Amino acid sequence: LAVYQSLKKHGGYTDDNIILMLADEVACNARNPFKNSIFPTGSSQNTEERRRMVDLYRDDVQVDYSGNDVTVDNFFRVLLGRHGKHTPAYQRLKSLDNNFMSNDNDGDGQNTNVFIYLTGHGGDGFFKFRDLEDFQTADLRGVLEQMTLMKRFRNMLILSDTCQAFTLDPDNVDVDGIMNSNANAGAVKNVYTVASSLKGQNSYAHHGDAAIGHSVIDRYVYYFMEYMGGFGLGRNMGKWGQLEELNVKQAMVNSMPTNRMGATIGWSDKHCERSLDRVPLSDFLVMRQGSTTSKMTGEGDGDDDNGAELLYDMVDFW
């Protein structure tokens, strides 16, 4: 939710361009004494103090998939735009689907950047949904290959915050589903990955809240928010006003305090047109209307990003 709120506040995203999946709505959980609230920096029994604290679950949160609707099938359907006949509009990534179907673009959706954020329980080459099912890295790769053939995106950033997160990198799986970092056949192109831990490493929560007896935020997101200037900043304050100048590797990889993370950040720009340190944060964290040009210079810069999209998936946070 910290990422969700930041993108709406600093990146200009609207809920039409975000799919938010919450397997368990923490704010509404019976174990949470502060109903309809999540305080990432700690809570207070004092009502007046709580009103001054940063609350991630405000009135403007739109949850698109919750509870039993948070499934691998629905996750992949959103990516592919293959929804059931009666799927409501708010559960579709409308701008991405409209761009793909647009006659003006001749069905070409490659103006669109897609940001996928995954946090929850995972392991070596898999990510779990509600402790009931999971997808394998090879499954994700297969969906991305279909999206490539369908021209559903131009560039994609997958940020995974889970144990052994880097094993979800789709370019580490060959066509037979075997982990192989040297596999080149059938490469998935222009998919960047950033991960909070490497194979064999765990990803940890940053702190818990004694009032609810549970962890409230993961280390990776906490330190990313800290690097950007902290919680509760006004629009474009801190480093949020530098999204055109900051690059993804600088902000999402190099900024992480490995000694406090308890894990090493994994990243990949394999088979991508630009290196990760040449991709401005604004390519994924800013909602663009119409064609714009990045301020960063150098070969391969100056992509036209027409309506960057966000797919945000938060599973089993509680």
Side-chain angles (χ1 to χ4, degrees):
L1 285 174
V3 177
Y4 169 86
Q5 293 290 5
S6 296
L7 288 167
K8 292 184 68 174
K9 185 174 186 178
H10 303 290
Y13 276 86
T14 66
D15 284 309
D16 285 346
N17 304 108
I18 300 174
I19 293 294
L20 176 59
M21 293 183 170
L22 294 176
D24 189 349
E25 294 191 52
V26 182
C28 305
N29 194 289
R31 294 160 59 190
N32 184 358
F34 311 115
K35 298 306 178 187
N36 302 319
S37 296
I38 299 175
F39 302 102
T41 57
S43 60
S44 172
Q45 297 294 339
N46 186 287
T47 302
E48 289 302 319
E49 289 183 359
R50 287 203 305 275
R51 287 175 180 171
R52 294 191 295 269
M53 292 178 172
V54 176
D55 183 1
L56 297 179
Y57 203 92
R58 302 194 299 265
D59 293 338
D60 63 342
V61 173
Q62 177 179 304
V63 180
D64 303 295
Y65 292 82
S66 63
N68 294 335
D69 287 335
V70 181
T71 64
V72 173
D73 182 64
N74 281 335
F75 176 59
F76 286 163
R77 284 182 180 276
V78 170
L79 287 173
L80 293 169
R82 293 174 177 165
H83 299 284
K85 180 179 179 180
H86 301 293
T87 301
Y90 72 88
Q91 291 187 330
R92 304 167 185 255
L93 201 52
K94 289 182 287 187
S95 295
L96 182 61
D97 292 344
N98 291 343
N99 190 29
F100 174 68
M101 296 300 294
S102 171
N103 292 327
D104 293 337
N105 287 329
D106 296 325
D108 188 347
Q110 285 192 300
N111 294 333
T112 302
N113 289 345
V114 178
F115 175 34
I116 300 177
Y117 173 55
L118 298 166
T119 181
H121 300 304
D124 188 359
F126 68 88
F127 184 80
K128 299 180 71 174
F129 277 59
R130 298 184 300 115
D131 286 332
L132 296 176
E133 60 176 341
D134 61 59
F135 68 74
Q136 306 286 316
T137 307
D139 300 327
L140 178 61
R141 179 193 171 92
V143 170
L144 298 182
E145 288 176 342
Q146 293 181 62
M147 292 181 72
T148 299
L149 291 173
M150 297 165 67
K151 298 182 178 180
R152 292 274 289 177
F153 68 95
R154 181 169 190 171
N155 297 287
M156 180 181 292
L157 172 61
I158 301 175
L159 173 57
S160 54
D161 187 3
T162 181
C163 295
Q164 307 193 72
F166 196 46
T167 62
L168 294 175
D169 175 21
D171 269 330
N172 279 339
V173 182
D174 67 16
V175 292
D176 296 318
I178 307 299
M179 299 301 294
N180 179 3
S181 60
N182 294 318
N184 290 313
V188 178
K189 296 182 179 180
N190 295 322
V191 176
Y192 300 92
T193 56
V194 175
S196 63
S197 58
L198 302 180
K199 183 175 181 178
Q201 296 180 338
N202 293 323
S203 188
Y204 300 96
H206 182 268
H207 65 273
D209 188 331
I212 64 175
H214 204 279
S215 303
V216 293
I217 192 167
D218 293 326
R219 292 185 188 182
Y220 182 89
V221 172
Y222 185 91
Y223 290 128
F224 175 72
M225 296 297 296
E226 186 178 72
Y227 172 76
M228 296 301 291
F231 295 88
L233 293 178
R235 183 175 176 83
N236 292 331
M237 292 180 64
K239 290 186 173 64
W240 290 107
Q242 305 170 31
L243 294 178
E244 297 281 2
E245 291 77 22
L246 290 172
N247 65 70
V248 175
K249 188 169 186 289
Q250 176 184 358
M252 292 187 169
V253 180
N254 297 346
S255 69
M256 292 295 115
T258 304
N259 58 328
R260 289 187 285 170
M261 286 284 296
T264 302
I265 305 301
W267 62 276
S268 174
D269 54 15
K270 187 177 181 183
H271 307 306
C272 295
E273 294 176 355
R274 296 173 292 168
S275 61
L276 197 63
D277 60 3
R278 304 305 307 166
V279 180
L281 276 177
S282 59
D283 273 17
F284 295 101
L285 303 192
V286 172
M287 180 66 208
R288 301 186 187 277
Q289 299 291 347
S291 296
T292 61
T293 303
S294 166
K295 292 181 180 178
M296 297 191 73
T297 60
E299 185 177 354
D301 289 348
D303 282 350
D304 287 336
D305 299 327
N306 190 0
E309 307 294 339
L310 167 71
L311 177 70
Y312 181 102
D313 179 33
M314 189 174 180
V315 180
D316 290 342
F317 184 83
W318 184 264

